[in-house]
Short mmCIF file of all heavy atoms in Angstrom, two decimals:
data_model
loop_
_atom_site.label_atom_id
_atom_site.label_comp_id
_atom_site.label_asym_id
_atom_site.label_seq_id
_atom_site.Cartn_x
_atom_site.Cartn_y
_atom_site.Cartn_z
N GLY A 437 53.94 30.53 239.96
CA GLY A 437 53.17 29.90 241.03
C GLY A 437 53.18 30.68 242.33
O GLY A 437 54.15 31.36 242.66
N ASN A 438 52.06 30.58 243.04
CA ASN A 438 52.01 31.08 244.41
C ASN A 438 52.39 29.94 245.35
O ASN A 438 52.01 28.80 245.12
CB ASN A 438 50.59 31.54 244.77
CG ASN A 438 50.21 32.83 244.10
OD1 ASN A 438 50.64 33.10 242.98
ND2 ASN A 438 49.41 33.63 244.75
N ILE A 439 53.12 30.28 246.40
CA ILE A 439 53.55 29.24 247.34
C ILE A 439 52.45 29.08 248.38
O ILE A 439 52.21 29.98 249.19
CB ILE A 439 54.88 29.63 248.01
CG1 ILE A 439 55.95 29.86 246.94
CG2 ILE A 439 55.33 28.57 249.01
CD1 ILE A 439 57.23 30.49 247.46
N GLU A 440 51.78 27.91 248.36
CA GLU A 440 50.75 27.65 249.38
C GLU A 440 51.44 27.18 250.66
O GLU A 440 51.11 27.60 251.76
CB GLU A 440 49.78 26.57 248.90
CG GLU A 440 48.87 27.06 247.80
CD GLU A 440 47.75 26.08 247.53
OE1 GLU A 440 48.02 24.95 247.08
OE2 GLU A 440 46.58 26.45 247.74
N ASN A 441 52.36 26.28 250.50
CA ASN A 441 53.22 25.84 251.60
C ASN A 441 54.44 25.19 250.94
O ASN A 441 54.54 25.19 249.70
CB ASN A 441 52.48 24.87 252.55
CG ASN A 441 51.90 23.68 251.80
OD1 ASN A 441 52.63 22.99 251.09
ND2 ASN A 441 50.60 23.47 251.94
N LEU A 442 55.33 24.63 251.74
CA LEU A 442 56.60 24.15 251.15
C LEU A 442 56.42 23.01 250.16
O LEU A 442 57.32 22.71 249.39
CB LEU A 442 57.57 23.75 252.26
CG LEU A 442 58.20 24.95 252.98
CD1 LEU A 442 59.15 24.49 254.06
CD2 LEU A 442 58.92 25.87 251.98
N SER A 443 55.27 22.36 250.18
CA SER A 443 55.10 21.28 249.21
C SER A 443 53.96 21.54 248.23
O SER A 443 53.48 20.62 247.58
CB SER A 443 54.90 19.94 249.93
OG SER A 443 53.92 20.07 250.90
N SER A 444 53.52 22.78 248.15
CA SER A 444 52.42 23.06 247.22
C SER A 444 52.57 24.43 246.57
O SER A 444 52.63 25.46 247.25
CB SER A 444 51.10 22.97 247.98
OG SER A 444 50.05 23.35 247.13
N LEU A 445 52.65 24.42 245.24
CA LEU A 445 52.76 25.64 244.46
C LEU A 445 51.56 25.73 243.54
O LEU A 445 51.21 24.75 242.88
CB LEU A 445 54.04 25.62 243.62
CG LEU A 445 55.33 25.38 244.43
CD1 LEU A 445 56.48 25.04 243.51
CD2 LEU A 445 55.66 26.59 245.27
N LYS A 446 50.90 26.88 243.53
CA LYS A 446 49.64 26.97 242.81
C LYS A 446 49.68 28.06 241.74
O LYS A 446 50.07 29.20 242.04
CB LYS A 446 48.54 27.28 243.84
CG LYS A 446 47.16 27.28 243.26
CD LYS A 446 46.13 27.42 244.36
CE LYS A 446 44.75 27.37 243.76
NZ LYS A 446 43.69 27.57 244.72
N GLU A 447 49.24 27.73 240.54
CA GLU A 447 49.19 28.73 239.47
C GLU A 447 47.96 29.61 239.66
O GLU A 447 46.84 29.11 239.76
CB GLU A 447 49.14 28.05 238.10
CG GLU A 447 49.19 29.06 236.97
CD GLU A 447 49.33 28.42 235.60
OE1 GLU A 447 49.04 27.23 235.47
OE2 GLU A 447 49.71 29.14 234.67
N MET A 448 48.17 30.93 239.72
CA MET A 448 47.05 31.85 239.91
C MET A 448 47.03 32.97 238.88
O MET A 448 46.06 33.71 238.76
CB MET A 448 47.08 32.43 241.33
CG MET A 448 47.03 31.32 242.38
SD MET A 448 46.77 31.89 244.04
CE MET A 448 44.99 32.05 244.06
N CYS A 449 48.12 33.12 238.15
CA CYS A 449 48.21 34.15 237.12
C CYS A 449 48.97 33.57 235.94
O CYS A 449 50.00 32.92 236.13
CB CYS A 449 48.95 35.37 237.68
SG CYS A 449 49.39 36.59 236.42
N SER A 450 48.44 33.78 234.73
CA SER A 450 49.10 33.25 233.53
C SER A 450 49.87 34.32 232.78
O SER A 450 50.20 34.13 231.60
CB SER A 450 48.07 32.64 232.58
OG SER A 450 47.12 31.89 233.28
N LEU A 451 50.10 35.47 233.42
CA LEU A 451 50.89 36.55 232.82
C LEU A 451 50.32 36.98 231.47
O LEU A 451 51.03 37.02 230.47
CB LEU A 451 52.35 36.10 232.62
CG LEU A 451 53.08 35.54 233.84
CD1 LEU A 451 54.41 34.95 233.44
CD2 LEU A 451 53.30 36.62 234.88
#
Side-chain angles (χ1 to χ4, degrees):
N438 287 33
I439 303 169
E440 289 191 296
N441 55 54
L442 285 180
S443 50
S444 175
L445 305 166
K446 185 173 182 183
E447 184 172 19
M448 302 191 83
C449 169
S450 318
L451 307 171

